Amino acid sequence: MPALVLLGAQWGDEGKGKATDLLGGSVDYVVRYQGGNNAGHTVVVGDQKYALHLLPSGILSPGCTPVIGNGVVVDPSVLLSELSGLNERGVDTSKLLLSGNAHIITPYNVTVDKVTERFLGKRKIGTTGRGIGPTYADKINRVGIRVQDLYDESILTQKVEAALDVKNQVLTKLYNRRAIAVEQVVEELLAYADKLAPYVSDTVLVLNQALEDDKVVLFEGGQGTLLDIDHGTYPFVTSSNPTAGGACTGAGVGPTKISRVIGILKAYTTRVGAGPFPTELFDEDGEALRRIGGERGVTTGRDRRCGWFDAVIARYATRVNGLTDFFLTKLDVLTGWEQIPVCVAYEIDGKRVEELPYSQTDFHHAKPVYEMLPGWNEDISKAKTFGDLPKNAQAYVKALEEMSGAPISAIGVGPGRNETIEINSFI
Ligand code: GDP
Ligand code: IMO
Ligand code: MG
């Protein structure tokens, strides 16, 4: 019963979409277990480029059943337009399964996300504005709307009433906005019911039966370890658990079923939105990483903040996720530097610190301690085996592996499905 989790080991955008797509041909199910359309996963197949936000990247592999698990928050309009966009490009999406227990991002959740950020001003998180935080807040406050509620108008109306009771007070009295009418929301949500009906299912049962039948299930994380609500750089995080444990709660599969946890790790570091980032660069190196790496958000189009590789973070990701492997991406982007700095520890208030501090104050004060590794100039985008890489690139990978605490089992040398060096097989 091979169940694999594939997740971001940094602040998101590590190349999870590409890695998932690469494995898509060898797995039976690909499951999103948290997050929503705050994610933007890019998959390049031949000359075709796909940007997936809510659908698991396995949707592009014909033999694979894509699943949206109970832990995901679903904006129905986004889901339907993503499906029709893929259909127009000839992708069959009919196998999709959508958990009836997944929570719905309602229009008022999106409104609350935007007005809250505006209200926070300088202290804003820099969310994607997709209603993610407010929807998870409603879930935890037990006033959320679930996919299954679309099929009982009376329950749906009562729940929307309960949710809007307080929100309308806040919207009108605190934010000076107009109140949102219950009927209008209910009408909009009901209009999605028939369109979503073919996909809605008991995904927990389906996935556990699949595992019993020795099918291969891949759980695809959104965001990344340092954006985790419990283990990330709180409060500059998303509102779910991208870390490995999230796959269990977000899909209803026991931890004993998970056999492998793959951390997707960029050969340098990026971050979108606010929050601490010790290796962030504000010079031409940062600009060069952004330009060569194409570091612009798939969801919001914002420039990504760029910096050197941070081994402290990678070690932390290994620990909190129980990583068995790394998939190192975008090594090709580092071609051309004479020397490449790698952060091996932090200096915090004059002391050398080897592990990620739990204290937010300390992390804000963390300064990177760099080790310089020799760079390479050869084009590596055609490399098929580890041995094809120039010696210095091999040494860079080996050094990262040593510092990060888990074997690097694959290396990305370009955005395409085949631009990958496979070292150890994942399945
Ligand atoms: P995700 O959110 O983790 O799926 O990552 P994104 O899709 O947001 O960002 C990763 C970007 O890097 C995408 O544009 C990918 O096509 C691209 N990419 C992934 N792996 C590689 C790689 O090994 N080399 C290069 N040059 N680009 C890559
Ligand atoms: P993928 O799956 C990078 C960031 C936002 C913001 C914070 C909270 O493509 O790696 P939210 O809208 O989730 O409440 O925003 O999290 N963020 C991401 N950053 N990649 C993502 O997804 C992200 N999803 C959310 O920029 O800082
Ligand atoms: Mg992304």
Side-chain angles (χ1 to χ4, degrees), residues 90-133:
V91 178
D92 175 18
T93 56
S94 60
K95 287 209 267 181
L96 174 71
L97 302 178
L98 168 63
S99 168
N101 285 345
H103 279 250
I104 288 189
I105 301 178
T106 63
Y108 52 79
N109 294 133
V110 178
T111 304
V112 170
D113 193 359
K114 289 183 177 150
V115 293
T116 312
E117 281 281 279
R118 220 168 295 147
F119 196 72
L120 282 170
K122 273 205 310 236
R123 289 168 294 140
K124 71 178 181 188
I125 306 293
T127 73
T128 58
R130 301 298 192 265
I132 307 296

Side-chain angles (χ1 to χ4, degrees), residues 11-17 38-42 52-53 223 272 296-299 304:
W11 275 288
D13 303 324
E14 299 89 349
K16 298 176 291 292
N38 46 350
H41 296 180
T42 316
L52 302 167
H53 297 283
Q223 293 74 55
V272 194
R296 178 170 287 241
V298 183
T299 300
R304 293 173 180 156

Side-chain angles (χ1 to χ4, degrees), residues 46-66:
D47 60 357
Q48 294 289 308
K49 186 168 172 178
Y50 300 88
L52 302 167
H53 297 283
L54 199 44
L55 292 166
S57 304
I59 198 139
L60 300 174
S61 303
C64 176
T65 301

Side-chain angles (χ1 to χ4, degrees), residues 7 38 60 100 106 138 154 164 229 241 250 269-270 275 312 379 388:
L7 52 81
N38 46 350
L60 300 174
T106 63
D138 279 4
S154 156
L164 280 178
I229 186 83
N241 289 115
T269 314
T270 62
V312 182
D379 174 15
D388 293 341

